[in-house]
Amino acid sequence: MSGLGNFADLRDYLAGVPDPRRPRGIRHRLEAILAIAAVAVAAGARSLVAIAEWAADAPQWILALLGIGRAQRCGRYVAPDESTVRRVLAAIDGDALDEAISAWIRRDHVRPAPRLRPAIALDGKSLCGTFARTGGAGVHLLAALTHNDGRVLAQQQVDPGTSEIAWVTPLLDGLDLTGWVVTADALHTTRANARYLTGAGADYVFTVKANQHRLHAALQEMSWPHGTHHTSTGIGHGRAEQRVIEVLPAPDHLGFPGGAQVFQITRYRTNRTNRTRQTETAYGITSLTPDQAGPDQIAAYLRGHWQIENRLHWVRDVTYREDASRLRTGTAPRAMASLRNLAISALRQTGHTNIAAGPRHMARNPTRPLQLLRIPT
């Protein structure tokens, strides 16, 4: 694993989150409760009960280090119980917590992958357990993840009754996007988002589907056999796949802000068991010029975009069993998702490639999750 890099104590970032509780009767400082929750999740805690159990088993010196006060009656450091953790996370300002966590994650410079400018993938995820059985609205979160090292740079809750599209700007407003490439699926392929990104000094690689019907129809009608192309192959999920991407200059009549190139990607899939074949064709547009990105680089950005599914959403579901959680109270579901983002990003930053094994490694020694989160011991 790599070194810890520049010192950045997580507690310093959590201290800026406003306390939603009334001052009277407070036993534990907010940053202490948040620090305990963060360390416990890094050690594999999947629920509020598990966080409280981790805190109850923590050595006295760790509780003192994390800011827990000494009880006058017994002279010991008494960890917050599950009900205290629940009340705090349910009432916390979700935006403030996300900003504190994202600021800690962003504290180091991102090392770009060879040949490619650093890229950010945008995608949303619903927390399935927050949807009421009566059909009530659940919690839906939009996140920005780096392609190269799988860090969550920002997260925003999508208000019920609104679309992810309206939350792209609030999500990215706190980031310096100069020099970045932003990838997104067809839902976010809008002129407003393209205009915002190019105005912020970023480039984009967008896929285009029928929701942008005029743009999609125009791309379908283009003479694709005459474009420059790149071919790649891969095997996964029991299928062999060949991908051919063809790229052309973006015609002026498209009128899409910043559009420099358009592309068609054709996927030929063969089931390795029964040998059945399937062909799929998709389209896209990018502000990257031919000098900035050829067909192979655009294909790499498209593949990199799925990191947000494979390295974040899938990990939260499988390793932390997020979708199995029935936590619904207040902002607690979002807060737990934020703490999972923190743990996953911190593990990746320190060289862990198997996130399922990472929390187990942290749980075997109580000092390890502290070191992971830059809390000096």
Side-chain angles (χ1 to χ4, degrees), residues 311 315 319-320 343-345 347-348 352-360:
R311 304 184 77 185
V315 173
T319 300
Y320 283 101
I344 293 166
S345 299
L347 287 167
R348 293 201 189 283
H352 288 271
T353 55
N354 185 333
I355 304 302
R360 295 198 300 268

Side-chain angles (χ1 to χ4, degrees), residues 49-310:
V49 171
I51 291 173
E53 290 174 345
W54 182 92
D57 290 339
Q60 287 285 289
W61 69 268
I62 286 185
L63 295 178
L65 181 67
L66 295 179
I68 296 300
R70 188 192 298 267
Q72 293 182 354
R73 285 186 180 180
C74 60
R76 291 175 55 82
Y77 299 99
V78 179
D81 58 16
E82 186 268 344
S83 62
T84 299
V85 176
R86 181 181 296 273
R87 286 195 300 270
V88 166
L89 294 188
I92 200 87
D93 183 332
D95 289 338
L97 179 61
D98 261 326
E99 179 51 38
I101 287 174
S102 297
W104 185 86
I105 293 170
R106 297 195 301 260
R107 72 201 179 283
D108 294 328
H109 294 293
V110 176
R111 296 180 296 275
R115 299 169 43 251
L116 292 176
R117 286 163 51 188
I120 298 171
L122 305 182
D123 197 21
K125 179 185 185 297
S126 293
L127 308 186
C128 294
T130 63
F131 285 82
R133 293 180 181 178
T134 56
V139 175
H140 188 84
L141 302 173
L142 179 64
L145 182 98
T146 58
H147 284 208
N148 185 40
D149 53 6
R151 293 195 291 174
V152 183
L153 299 185
Q155 180 174 266
Q156 182 73 46
Q157 183 164 336
V158 178
D159 286 348
T162 66
S163 168
E164 285 183 20
I165 301 170
W167 294 93
V168 170
T169 298
L171 175 75
L172 298 177
D173 261 347
L175 306 179
D176 180 2
L177 296 175
T178 305
W180 286 85
V181 176
V182 176
T183 64
D185 59 22
L187 176 64
H188 303 108
T189 304
T190 67
R191 286 169 167 77
N193 285 341
R195 195 174 295 112
Y196 167 77
L197 292 172
T198 53
D203 283 293
Y204 59 81
V205 177
F206 288 163
T207 54
V208 177
K209 292 184 178 178
N211 61 313
Q212 289 283 341
H213 58 278
R214 292 183 181 177
L215 179 59
H216 186 259
L219 295 181
Q220 283 183 310
E221 294 171 358
M222 295 183 67
S223 300
W224 290 107
H226 302 293
T228 57
H229 70 278
H230 170 74
T231 301
S232 60
T233 59
I235 296 176
H237 306 287
R239 301 175 303 191
E241 183 176 87
Q242 181 185 56
R243 299 174 291 269
V244 180
I245 183 169
E246 299 174 87
V247 180
L248 290 169
D252 292 338
H253 67 79
L254 293 181
F256 201 83
Q261 299 184 90
V262 293
F263 55 87
Q264 172 185 268
I265 182 166
T266 306
R267 301 179 179 92
Y268 304 93
R269 298 190 179 103
T270 302
N271 187 299
R272 301 181 72 196
T273 302
N274 57 25
R275 310 308 296 174
T276 58
R277 296 183 178 182
Q278 181 183 19
T279 301
E280 177 187 89
T281 301
Y283 300 92
I285 188 166
T286 177
S287 60
L288 294 165
T289 65
D291 291 337
Q292 293 174 313
D296 54 337
Q297 285 88 3
I298 295 173
Y301 284 125
L302 293 172
R303 291 194 300 273
H305 176 73
W306 294 107
Q307 300 281 6
I308 196 166
E309 284 289 342
N310 300 331

